Each structure stands twice: as C-alpha cells, then as structure tokens.
Amino acid sequence: MTPPHKPRLGVFKFASCDGCQLTLLDCEDELLAVAGAVEIAEFHEATSAGVDGPYDVALVEGSVTTADDARRIREIRAQTRTLVTIGACATAGGIQALRNFADVEEFRRVVYARPEFIQTLGTSTPIRDHVPVDFELRGCPIDKHQLLEVISAFLGRRSPNVPTESVCIECKRRGNVCVLVAHGTPCLGPVTQTGCGAICPAFHRGCYGCFGPQDTPNAASLVGKLEELGMARPAVARVFRTFNALAPPFREAADAAAKEAVAP
Amino acid sequence: MLERSGFPSLLAALRQHGYRVVGPTIRDGAIVYGDIREESDLPIGWTDRQDAGKYRLERRADRALFGYAVGPHSWKKYLFPAHERLWTAVRTDASFAVRPEPVEGPPLAFLGVRACEMAAIDISDRVFGKAGDPAYSAHRRGSLRVAVQCGQAGGTCFCASMGTGPGVRKGFDLALTEILSPGRHYFLVEVGSREGAAVLSGLPLAPASQTDTAAAEAVVARTAASMGRSMDAGGLRDLLVNNPEHPRWEIVARRCLSCTNCTMACPTCFCNTSEEVPDLSGERTERWRRWDSCFNSGFSALHGASVRSSTKSRYRQWLAHKLGTWHDQFGTSGCVGCGRCITWCPVGIDITEEVAALRLPAPPPAEKKP
C-alpha cells in the first residue's frame, strides 16, 4: 500500500485573492496530517522553498488574465499528473471576469497613472479554457472539508465525493428555515451548487451563488420568483454576475435579464 | 380534561418519565421542531399563513399553544436524521474491524403530532421496518406520540381528502384537543396507550363532560371544513402509473427547480445516500448516511451516467412513486396531505394542481405517423 515516494503537491496561484490557498492553511487540525501525507513542493503562501516539478497533484488557484498566466499554466500542466483547480476564479473566471463584459482598455486608461505598465488580457478565463483539468473544486472560497476530501481522494486513488446538487438540500438537512419562502428574501440557493454548508441562509441571508451553478439549474424559473419578490431586471443581472459570472447557466440568466432590462 | 393552567404539569410529567420532549417552537420566522424545556418554548399566540411557495408567521388574537398548521420540519428529523454516522471501521493487521454506532439518549416524546404526521410516522414505520433499519428502530423505540387535534387548517393542507386527518383517531399515546371558548382555555386529553396513561397519573385532570367532548369534536369538524386545498385521491395509483407521457410533465418541469425542497420537507420521503468518509491516513473510515433526493442527478447515477437526467423525469419519478407505486411497495399512498411540498417549493408548485392537470385527458399528439 505504501507508495514508493510521498506524493508531491504543488499549490499555484493565478489571478485571485489567495483565499482558496489559505483554506489549506486553515485546515489547522488536519494540516499536519496533510503535510505528513504529501511532500509540499511548491506553496508560496506557506513556504518560499520552491521545488521544481514534476508534481503528483497540483492545486491551481486563480484565473488566467495575462499572456504570462496562459504560458505558465501550460508549463504546470506539463509537469503535473493530476491538476485540480480550486475556487471560483480557477473554475469560472472569478469576480475579475466581470471585465469580460466591459472595456478593459478604458479601465487601464482611467485607473492607472502609467497605463503602459499594465500588461493584461481583455478577459479573465477559467483554467479549463487553457489546459485539461482533472477536477474542479468550486467555491468562493472553497470549503476546507471539500478540499481535504479531494486531497484524500487523490491520495487514496478514488474519486472525490463532492456533490453537485443544490444548496437547498444542505439548507434543509441543516434544519434552516427557507429564507425565500418564509422571509421573501431573494436567494440563489435553488440554482447553486452545495458545498458551503448553506452558511448564508443559516444567517438569514439569501445565497449569493459562490459555488456556481448546481448540475441541473433552472435559472429561468428562479428569475420569475426573484421578480415576483420585487427584484428589477438590472438587479437580477447583477446577482448572477458575481464570482461565477462566466459559468454558462449564470451567464445566460444575467444576459437575458440585462438584455430585457435595456429593451424598450 | 386538563385546564390550560395545568399544562406545565404535563411537560413536567413527560420529563419525569424520562422523555426528551421535542415539539413546536419559533425559530427564524417559522414554527419548527426543537427541544421543549418549558411552556414558553411553545409558539404561544402565534399562527402561520401558508400558500404555494409562501409561509409567514402571524399573531393570533388568542393565546393558543397549538394554533398553527405544520411547519417546515417534520418528525423525520428525529427518527431519520439528516446526517447520521452508521458505523466506523478501523484497519487491523490483516483486515478491518467495524464498530457500530450506539444510539444514546433518552426516549423521545413528540409533542404536538398532527393527524397527517401520525400517518407519516406510520408510513415511515412500514418503510424502515420493511428495510429492517436498525438506526430508525433505535430512534423510534420507546418514543411517545402526544398528538394534537388540528384546530385550524393551513392554506396548503389537504389531509381531509387524503383520509389522514384532521382528526387523530388511533396510534397515539396521548391526544390533546385544545379548546378555546370565551373565558376558558383547556385541553381534552385522550389516552391511547399504557405509556400515555402512565404519564397522566398525578396530573390535575377532571373528567370530561359531554359538552367538552362535543366541543372537541366541533374543533376537528371545523378544521375539516376549512382545508386550504383538496386532492381527488381516487384511482391515483393507476393515473400516475398509466400516464408517463402526459404533456403535463413537460409543463411542470419548466417550473421545477430540481432543488429538492419538496422531498426534504416531505414527512415520508426517505431517500438517502451512504458515503464512506476515510481519514487521510487510510487507517479509519466512517460510514455516514444523509438525506438524498430523487431530484438530484447523482441519485440515479449508475456507472457514470444519470438514469434520470432531465428534471421532467425526476419530477415524474417523485410523483409517480409518492402517489402511485408507493401503493405497490408499501400498501398505502406516500402522501399524507400535509401540504409541505406546496408551501416550501420556492416557485410554489402545487401537488394538488399537478394531479388535477394529470387527470385531464392529454391532447392528441400533433403529428402521428400512420
């Protein structure tokens, strides 16, 4: 059963806030077990002692927003057996993918004193648009239990148990009272993938969709309900354009609402 | 007969007899089930207003203890918990050892069980009994059902048409009818078992007069006459089984969110999944059971693909099982008419409306090859 060498783990960052990588450090109780089970070869948030590849498992955080990113992810892929993306940026472009709906040239001109120093692409794209990805772990940020499950699954050579069902099922298992039905609070739970533990509804807030779309979302039907609760079309477009704006079901819902909002 | 002032003595007696009392309490804008330590934990003077996809708490004009319909929780959360560890396995030299999960804690006293919920527990007893489920039996064993006759029907209630309520007729240990007449607030107490009778010994009870009994009957009759909804329950099994291609499935699927709320709120939905949760060392693993739903694609996944990939097929599966093949499997309908699936559906899909639509003949197909 004992592998010939400890699996080598690399943690890599692209355009992101580092929150998902920090989830690994946030594992606290389990961190030593992880550190004992793998050789952490590359993890800038934890150590500056980088080790060159190859890597058995790479955890990739962040989206591709520069030409250099696009080159670097190919290099990492070439040196990695199992590539796992972690978080909304890496799996759906992240909040920075809002640039895809705007004029990045204009931002550059208006925001920066020396625009010529800024080298950036016009889009923020998920890792899967650039290289093959073995597993995508959702969330903004990811959930530490799911991260441990993924690491444990790849170490144990089994498939990770990461459900793709709605937030509602976790909300109900927790015994939360539905904020949409009982309070009239807009909530993306019915179309969003579980994984967070239904945190927001437990604190009387609607779901923000941090984990992206569930596997069979019906955004059009939910939009009808949001409008019934008094949400205007531009607001509907905004709730779907957050951390997972590029995920197709959310993107389509936002595009439809935005289009109808400007139509006469 | 128990006067309102004597009600705390009932709670005390339940505790003295070793029960953990669980019942209705207000949390997060709804009447949910939780531990009842004293009578102020009960939703005194509150009621609920329910409609498809909508639930709101409201003040009552009186101080009724049980003046509401049913909320988002059902007793299944105690008998069939949403997450439950079934056993733990530890690696040994050559093999592994399984340690079963002990069920600990005092027996449960369910306070405020409605007629539809009595029926739901009876159904669950058959479902889990048939499966010989040790965890369910352990939670159910020794539990006490203190029923309450419904004093008012909710907007989504339809137990009268399902033949499950609103009156509780059998199976209870104790059954209370809360009677609020001008100047007097009291309970008619019926005894259904030896365990129930044991709890009552020493309580300040008075014999019920014929007037009291008539008043209690009137409470149930009034509730039966004010059902929020109704469902024609005749021939449902054949209707559901014989109409897999009815166009209504397509129509409801356009609204259905496939979010699982109906099945989670349903007091008889029992679908679950088991998963192994190993630790990083691979030396120890736990088997956990959690609520699952036929509305999840993963629920019907067989070696890589989901058998029911469309929302249409999942909704059809749910309804055809609940109202149809449940009869074949367990000898009754799986629906008790509590209305939870209607209230707690975020987009307000109404099971009674869907059944009525399925009863309408399907229009002939637009094109038909000779």
Side-chain angles (χ1 to χ4, degrees):
Chain A
M1 280 299 288
T2 315
H5 69 94
K6 271 193 187 180
R8 291 155 61 92
L9 175 75
V11 183
F12 302 93
K13 173 191 161 67
F14 288 79
S16 59
C17 75
D18 286 33
C20 291
Q21 292 184 59
L22 291 175
T23 304
L24 186 55
L25 294 179
D26 193 30
C27 287
E28 295 167 350
D29 293 344
E30 300 88 353
L31 188 60
L32 289 176
V34 173
V38 300
E39 178 192 349
I40 297 179
E42 179 87 22
F43 187 8
H44 284 180
E45 276 282 6
T47 169
S48 54
V51 178
D52 289 339
Y55 308 102
D56 291 286
V57 177
L59 300 178
V60 178
E61 176 197 83
S63 67
V64 172
T65 58
T66 66
D68 188 53
D69 286 345
R71 178 192 57 75
R72 195 158 55 93
I73 189 60
R74 283 191 204 94
E75 281 176 15
I76 293 166
R77 174 72 269 188
Q79 298 186 68
T80 300
R81 177 173 295 144
T82 303
L83 191 150
V84 177
T85 60
I86 56 171
C89 300
T91 60
I95 192 84
Q96 60 274 24
L98 293 178
R99 71 164 71 183
N100 300 21
F101 309 100
D103 181 357
V104 173
E105 240 349 278
E106 190 190 344
F107 292 165
R108 179 148 61 178
R109 271 198 318 274
V110 173
V111 174
Y112 297 97
R114 300 289 298 272
E116 64 273 23
F117 287 177
I118 306 300
Q119 292 185 339
T120 187
L121 298 171
T123 55
S124 166
T125 44
I127 298 299
R128 126 176 57 80
D129 285 6
H130 301 268
V131 295
V133 172
D134 298 296
F135 190 81
E136 294 186 318
L137 188 60
R138 305 269 200 89
C140 184
I142 54 169
D143 172 81
K144 78 171 192 178
H145 301 290
Q146 288 201 331
L147 178 62
L148 286 168
E149 165 60 17
V150 167
I151 294 173
S152 166
F154 285 109
L155 292 177
R157 298 185 192 88
R158 60 181 174 84
S159 58
N161 188 357
V162 175
T164 55
E165 59 214 26
S166 74
V167 169
C168 299
I169 192 166
E170 197 51 42
C171 218
K172 281 282 191 288
R173 286 190 197 119
R174 241 184 117 143
N176 288 348
V177 172
C178 178
V179 298
L180 218 154
V181 169
H183 308 166
T185 302
C187 177
L188 295 188
V191 297
T192 301
Q193 181 172 305
T194 184
C196 60
I199 301 168
C200 291
F203 291 93
H204 303 173
R205 300 301 298 264
C207 167
Y208 291 89
C210 303
F211 278 60
Q214 59 126 314
D215 59 28
T216 32
N218 186 347
S221 178
L222 184 67
V223 166
K225 179 69 180 185
L226 298 178
E227 289 177 345
E228 189 189 309
L229 293 172
M231 196 183 266
R233 291 270 157 79
V236 170
R238 271 199 301 278
V239 296
F240 283 104
R241 277 189 189 155
T242 59
F243 325 103
N244 291 283
L246 283 196
F250 284 8
R251 182 179 189 159
E252 286 156 23
D255 286 352
K259 198 189 289 173
E260 288 169 43
V262 294
Chain B
M1 290 255 326
L2 178 68
E3 293 300 325
R4 167 67 184 83
S5 56
F7 191 83
S9 65
L10 174 61
L11 290 180
L14 288 168
R15 268 196 307 273
Q16 274 158 21
H17 282 79
Y19 293 104
R20 174 186 164 202
V21 183
V22 290
T25 192
I26 289 186
R27 205 195 70 208
D28 300 339
I31 295 167
V32 299
Y33 293 145
D35 282 281
I36 304 298
R37 289 176 190 86
E38 48 205 330
E39 68 165 30
S40 60
D41 290 333
L42 296 169
I44 300 173
W46 285 95
T47 190
D48 44 30
R49 183 176 292 272
Q50 302 192 37
D51 201 349
K54 195 168 179 188
Y55 178 102
R56 292 291 184 278
L57 278 186
E58 282 179 7
R59 273 277 174 208
R60 288 175 62 93
D62 57 33
R63 303 276 295 158
L65 270 55
F66 300 98
Y68 57 90
V70 291
H73 290 181
S74 75
W75 306 103
K76 83 174 175 184
K77 76 175 211 174
Y78 296 107
L79 296 170
F80 162 45
H83 287 113
E84 186 167 31
R85 185 166 56 206
L86 299 178
W87 45 259
T88 303
V90 182
R91 198 186 289 280
T92 57
D93 288 339
S95 177
F96 62 92
V98 173
R99 295 183 197 142
E101 188 72 14
V103 172
E104 284 155 355
L108 293 160
F110 301 125
L111 174 64
V113 185
R114 304 309 178 94
C116 61
E117 300 184 309
M118 291 290 293
I121 295 173
D122 291 344
I123 289 171
S124 299
D125 286 350
R126 275 195 295 279
V127 168
F128 286 95
K130 191 175 173 181
D133 191 82
Y136 180 90
S137 314
H139 297 302
R140 180 78 170 90
R141 198 175 302 129
S143 65
L144 193 81
R145 293 193 284 183
V146 182
V148 166
Q149 307 286 4
C150 279
Q152 73 176 59
T156 56
C157 287
F158 59 101
C159 66
S161 50
M162 298 309 288
T164 55
V168 178
R169 301 291 173 219
K170 58 179 172 51
F172 55 86
D173 294 288
L174 292 173
L176 311 176
T177 311
E178 183 170 27
I179 301 168
L180 292 126
S181 61
R184 191 169 169 220
H185 185 177
Y186 64 107
F187 296 89
L188 183 89
V189 187
E190 295 165 79
V191 181
S193 73
R194 229 172 334 145
E195 291 77 9
V199 169
L200 290 187
S201 63
L203 288 193
L205 298 171
S209 68
Q210 246 174 348
T211 325
D212 298 329
T213 320
E217 283 299 327
V219 166
V220 176
R222 197 177 58 226
T223 305
S226 62
M227 287 282 130
R229 279 167 164 75
S230 70
M231 184 195 282
D232 176 0
L236 273 183
R237 186 218 164 262
D238 290 346
L239 176 76
L240 272 299
V241 169
N242 296 332
N243 280 291
E245 301 303 332
H246 197 288
R248 187 68 188 187
W249 302 120
E250 200 69 66
I251 294 167
V252 69
R254 271 181 241 141
R255 296 176 64 203
C256 177
L257 297 165
S258 208
C259 65
T260 78
N261 274 304
C262 49
T263 54
M264 296 294 106
C266 176
T268 68
C269 273
F270 57 82
C271 286
N272 60 82
T273 186
S274 291
E275 61 195 31
E276 308 304 326
V277 185
D279 69 359
L280 277 165
S281 69
E283 295 299 311
R284 186 174 183 277
T285 186
E286 298 177 348
R287 172 165 291 186
W288 283 79
R289 169 160 80 182
R290 58 185 166 87
W291 289 354
D292 202 348
S293 170
C294 52
F295 282 90
N296 285 336
S297 69
F299 187 72
S300 66
L302 296 174
H303 49 271
S306 179
V307 174
R308 290 186 283 269
S309 57
S310 69
T311 297
K312 172 187 159 186
S313 62
R314 292 179 212 162
Y315 188 88
R316 182 176 60 194
Q317 159 66 25
W318 177 63
L319 205 65
H321 184 221
K322 181 73 53 188
L323 301 174
T325 52
W326 201 293
H327 286 278
D328 305 342
Q329 204 177 359
F330 303 113
T332 63
S333 171
C335 176
V336 297
C338 71
R340 286 183 179 88
C341 60
I342 306 173
T343 299
W344 297 99
C345 172
V347 292
I349 294 173
D350 181 342
I351 189 172
T352 65
E353 190 186 326
E354 295 312 311
V355 166
L358 285 166
R359 285 192 184 279
L360 299 175
E367 285 178 80
K368 205 168 186 180
K369 286 178 185 161

